[in-house]
Amino acid sequence: MADKERDPSKSPRRRREATFEALKMKVLLLEDWAKNGLPYQATYPRDQKALREWTGPNGTFATWKDPTIERSGEGGKYPDWGKRFLKAVDDLGKRGSERDAELRQAEADRDRYAAENRALRIQNADLIGQVDALERANRFLKGLASAREASRS
């Protein structure tokens, strides 16, 4: 027991400080992601239990077992940070929804442009056919006119 008391890294005060620091770093990172976008293939905790167990994108964040650490309401040890976490998760979810909506819109635009392109190609082919038919008719009529002139002379 004496060794544990002498080791400052194992003191209750140091553990509390380390836990708060881990909570703070996790929330700050999530807020940054909510503001600037989620890195490619990054995952993030979506609830408070997952936040406790999440070690971050590089696996360097500390975890904790006490569920009151990140609780945002009454009885939470750091309620302001708990509220910030919930807001960051909500913002990340909205950001993903906006990105998904933009992607769906881009796909709809692509499909619409492809349909318009097909319609224009069909219209062009039809017009080319009409021009060809008119040119053939013109050559035929010129041939008739030329034959008629030849027959008069």
Side-chain angles (χ1 to χ4, degrees), residues 59-71:
T60 57
F61 291 146
T63 62
W64 59 88
K65 293 187 177 157
D66 185 355
T68 63
I69 297 293
E70 74 286 341
R71 190 173 293 156

Side-chain angles (χ1 to χ4, degrees), residues 8-64:
S9 67
K10 294 184 180 180
S11 73
R13 179 174 168 232
R14 180 61 195 126
R15 282 194 311 255
R16 272 193 313 273
E17 289 172 354
T19 300
F20 173 68
E21 193 62 29
L23 170 64
K24 185 173 130 182
M25 295 307 294
K26 290 177 183 186
V27 172
L28 289 173
L29 178 64
L30 292 172
E31 287 175 338
D32 180 64
W33 286 356
K35 180 181 176 188
N36 299 314
L38 201 62
Y40 179 68
Q41 293 187 331
T43 59
Y44 62 93
R46 300 184 196 277
D47 60 37
Q48 292 168 324
K49 182 177 187 276
L51 177 66
R52 286 192 296 273
E53 299 168 354
W54 188 53
T55 58
N58 301 326
T60 57
F61 291 146
T63 62
W64 59 88

Side-chain angles (χ1 to χ4, degrees), residues 25-145:
M25 295 307 294
K26 290 177 183 186
V27 172
L28 289 173
L29 178 64
L30 292 172
E31 287 175 338
D32 180 64
W33 286 356
K35 180 181 176 188
N36 299 314
L38 201 62
Y40 179 68
Q41 293 187 331
T43 59
Y44 62 93
R46 300 184 196 277
D47 60 37
Q48 292 168 324
K49 182 177 187 276
L51 177 66
R52 286 192 296 273
E53 299 168 354
W54 188 53
T55 58
N58 301 326
T60 57
F61 291 146
T63 62
W64 59 88
K65 293 187 177 157
D66 185 355
T68 63
I69 297 293
E70 74 286 341
R71 190 173 293 156
S72 59
E74 202 172 303
K77 291 184 178 174
Y78 305 105
D80 291 340
W81 286 95
K83 288 175 189 171
R84 286 176 69 171
F85 162 70
L86 293 174
K87 182 174 179 349
V89 169
D90 187 48
D91 291 348
L92 281 165
K94 287 177 184 173
R95 187 174 180 88
S97 297
E98 290 170 4
R99 187 177 57 240
D100 292 345
E102 289 173 5
L103 179 60
R104 283 191 300 276
Q105 182 61 47
E107 289 172 345
D109 289 346
R110 182 198 62 208
D111 293 343
R112 184 175 46 115
Y113 295 145
E116 288 174 2
N117 189 344
R118 282 189 300 275
L120 287 172
R121 286 176 183 266
I122 291 169
Q123 184 181 16
N124 284 345
D126 184 50
L127 290 172
I128 289 170
Q130 289 178 19
V131 167
D132 185 52
L134 288 172
E135 287 175 346
R136 276 186 279 126
N138 192 23
R139 281 192 305 271
F140 176 74
L141 290 174
K142 281 184 181 179
L144 281 177

